[in-house]
Amino acid sequence: MKVLVCVKRVVDYNVKVRVKPDQGGVDVANVKMSMNPFDEIAVEEAVRLKEAGIVAEVVAVSCGPAQCQETLRTALAIGADRAILVQTDAELQPLGVAKLLAAVVGREQPQITMLGKQAIDDDANQTGQMLAALCGMPQATFASKLTVADGWAEVVREVDGGLETIAVRLPAVVTSDLRLNEPRYVTLPNIMKAKKKPLETLTVESLGVDATPRCQTVQVAEPPARKAGTIVPDVATLVAKLREEAKVIS
Ligand code: AMP
């Protein structure tokens, strides 16, 4: 069985992002970039399936500029066997990415395609769902537990107010939630080994996909600055302020 894991290069989660002066987007010049945290969880899960003897091969795929090679090397260091970069400097949006990934799924024929539930830069939470629709496959999103057996995947999903367990017939698309696992630390020997693993580069044209963006960013703005708080001397003053100023109690 083969697992395809989709990994996105995003601004590192520790970076405080700055909006460009023209409000056209977020400034990514000289900013630390890393693998999207939910994708790290997806890679970890795929590698654990391999270590458990359920999966024979783990293939990582990323769409974006040449620097995505670093992200793919991280996936290889976690334990993926080989990697595919769909290289483009053009802007990609979830539908375009989903179309490119669908083309890769067509070539690779994985039994399970894993993605993060959401990319922390665009917060779209769309790519996995669109990919499943384009491939005509069942989808199990927000997975917090994955069990694979007999051509089926049983997935525990984090839903409002609890957990839902569903079973999907393979091949299927699974997107990872935060509690699926805790990704391992990447060790130096594995980083060295990852440098020797195969990394294939494809182009958008070679996949025959139109990945042109459908949405235009109108404006990106910083959130309004928070006003300074006040310290109240006692509970009575707090209650009075909540009633008379904030008007949140009556
Ligand atoms: P999004 O729909 O943008 O929130 O992204 C959800 C998931 O889709 C991510 O966690 C990745 O697994 C995958 N994904 C999004 N963009 C890319 C990309 N450029 N290359 C590979 N995978 C991607």
Side-chain angles (χ1 to χ4, degrees):
M1 191 188 304
K2 188 195 285 185
V3 180
L4 183 72
V5 199
C6 310
V7 295
K8 184 176 189 188
R9 178 175 180 264
V10 296
V11 173
D12 187 89
Y13 71 95
N14 284 310
V15 171
K16 189 177 179 318
V17 292
R18 279 163 305 157
V19 172
K20 285 186 197 161
D22 68 358
Q23 297 197 315
V26 165
D27 193 355
V28 292
N30 303 318
V31 165
K32 184 176 180 223
M33 307 291 283
S34 302
M35 186 190 297
N36 183 44
F38 293 108
D39 305 354
E40 235 179 288
I41 295 172
V43 177
E44 174 69 34
E45 194 66 15
V47 172
R48 286 189 192 184
L49 285 172
K50 186 175 173 192
E51 288 168 347
I54 298 164
V55 159
E57 190 183 29
V58 177
V59 182
V61 56
S62 190
C63 310
Q67 293 90 322
C68 294
Q69 285 184 19
E70 289 165 24
T71 319
L72 288 168
R73 291 284 170 209
T74 305
L76 295 169
I78 297 172
D81 299 289
R82 61 185 172 89
I84 300 170
L85 168 63
V86 182
Q87 192 173 333
T88 174
D89 288 327
E91 182 194 351
L92 289 174
Q93 291 178 354
L95 180 59
V97 174
K99 287 187 199 170
L100 293 170
L101 295 175
V104 175
V105 167
R107 286 166 63 115
E108 293 288 335
Q109 300 289 314
Q111 288 298 99
I112 304 173
T113 302
M114 297 212 55
L115 300 90
K117 71 164 181 183
Q118 186 166 329
I120 60 164
D121 53 359
D122 61 15
D123 276 341
N125 175 229
Q126 294 175 355
T127 312
Q129 294 87 330
M130 288 176 170
L131 175 64
L134 291 172
C135 297
M137 286 181 191
Q139 57 178 290
T141 53
F142 299 81
S144 62
K145 188 163 185 263
L146 171 64
T147 317
V148 179
D150 304 325
W152 287 79
E154 192 178 276
V155 175
V156 179
R157 306 183 59 240
E158 300 203 9
V159 293
D160 267 359
L163 297 173
E164 177 191 45
T165 304
I166 59 168
V168 287
R169 192 188 283 281
L170 303 180
V173 172
V174 178
T175 74
S176 59
D177 212 323
L178 192 65
R179 276 166 283 273
L180 183 59
N181 61 51
E182 230 177 89
R184 70 196 66 186
Y185 284 106
V186 177
T187 61
L188 191 59
N190 285 341
I191 293 173
M192 300 312 285
K193 266 192 232 159
K195 292 188 182 183
K196 298 206 180 90
K197 292 187 182 177
L199 193 158
E200 183 187 2
T201 303
L202 303 173
T203 60
V204 174
E205 297 71 36
S206 72
L207 293 172
V209 168
D210 174 11
T212 318
R214 298 266 184 103
C215 303
Q216 196 186 338
T217 304
V218 178
Q219 188 197 38
V220 176
E222 302 266 0
R226 277 183 65 175
K227 286 199 209 126
T230 50
I231 295 174
V232 289
D234 50 41
V235 174
T237 317
L238 173 66
V239 171
K241 277 181 177 290
L242 289 174
R243 183 174 295 132
E244 284 146 31
E245 286 178 25
K247 299 194 192 313
V248 290
I249 56 172
S250 50

